[in-house]
Amino acid sequence: MRVAVVRFPGSNCDQDALHSLRDDLGIAADYAWHEDRDLSGFDAVFLPGGFSYGDYLRCGAIASRAPILDEVRRFAREGRPVIGVCNGFQVLCEAGLLPGALMRNLSEKFVCKTVWLQAGNRTSLWMRGVPDRPISIPIAHGEGRYLCDQDTLKRLQDDDRVAFRYVDREGRRTPEANPNGSIDDIAGILNEGGNVLGMMPHPERATSELLGGTDGRTILSALSAVRA
Amino acid sequence: MTTVRVTVTLKPSLLDSAGRTVAGSLVKLGFDEVKDVRIGKVIRLQLETYDEARVRAMCDKLLANPVIEDYTIEVEP
């Protein structure tokens, strides 16, 4: 397993992602550049957080039209693992690889704190290692309010494609536990195949005790379970 | 050369949280008549040749996100 951490101009969680994968999880990972057109030699894609292209036009809009996205689409189609975190989630939505959109937080504030998440889906390759208890993962975003129309929401629910919901420490869904006003308390969703995961919280910031927690490992360790 | 103005706005059914904040600020400044504010984007394109279908394609492919936004196209005099 070798993971491509894609760098766009303005990515700023790319080094965190690479460090987390390599040093905390022992997974082979290297950077890929947004203008690359060939990801052969890689088995999975990590779209990191940041402010790709300065968030110009809309978050993730320009990045989602970058040359490397053709390869990311191929990975998605072939059932390979693809994860987009924060700005990476926005890129996946803008690219049409995941439904819906991410809008400005209801509070109009950038929110940087640790939240609790409850896993929804239990069968996706990304979700098999995630425990039933709430997990603790940091968020840092100004535009993380997930939104989609009612038909899409119903499809996500019926097809078991909600990966994570914001909850409190005891696993209860409360207005206070939802940091941005996301519909249905959604923090992350999956594509139809379950191999593409988009989420606003940062699992790569929670893979080491030294940095405050290791619950992120329960998600990212999925990559070590996948054989090339 | 043709100048085309594309106006991108959030769909009316969606909450515009930035607009709501601006509305609140205007009311605080004494403009009590303000009941709602919606914020959009104006994108001005300088085009060598104008073909509305192509500008529409630009909007659909990049300038607007059909999930959350509507757009209008006007040719500037």
Side-chain angles (χ1 to χ4, degrees), chain A residues 57-58 61-62 65 94 100-108 145 147-148, chain B residues 10 14-15 17-18 20-21 41 43 60-65 67-69:
Chain A
L57 196 63
R58 296 177 305 277
I62 311 281
R65 277 76 174 172
E94 277 283 342
L102 292 143
M103 316 256 310
R104 194 97 59 116
N105 294 347
L106 264 194
S107 63
E108 283 290 311
R145 173 162 56 102
L147 186 83
C148 62
Chain B
L10 270 185
L14 299 184
L15 173 72
S17 53
R20 189 182 58 177
T21 304
K41 263 183 278 228
I43 301 166
D60 294 336
K61 275 180 186 272
L62 180 64
L63 300 180
N65 179 344
V67 177
I68 51 172
E69 293 170 329

Side-chain angles (χ1 to χ4, degrees), chain B residues 11-61:
Chain B
K11 285 186 187 292
S13 59
L14 299 184
L15 173 72
D16 181 344
S17 53
R20 189 182 58 177
T21 304
V22 170
S25 189
L26 283 170
V27 169
K28 273 189 206 142
L29 287 170
F31 298 103
D32 311 344
E33 69 271 38
V34 176
K35 293 301 164 207
D36 190 27
V37 172
R38 311 280 299 174
I39 297 176
K41 263 183 278 228
V42 172
I43 301 166
R44 186 174 274 118
L45 306 165
Q46 302 278 353
L47 304 174
E48 214 161 52
T49 53
Y50 173 61
D51 174 349
E52 193 193 325
R54 286 183 64 82
V55 175
R56 208 158 276 286
M58 293 180 204
C59 292
D60 294 336
K61 275 180 186 272

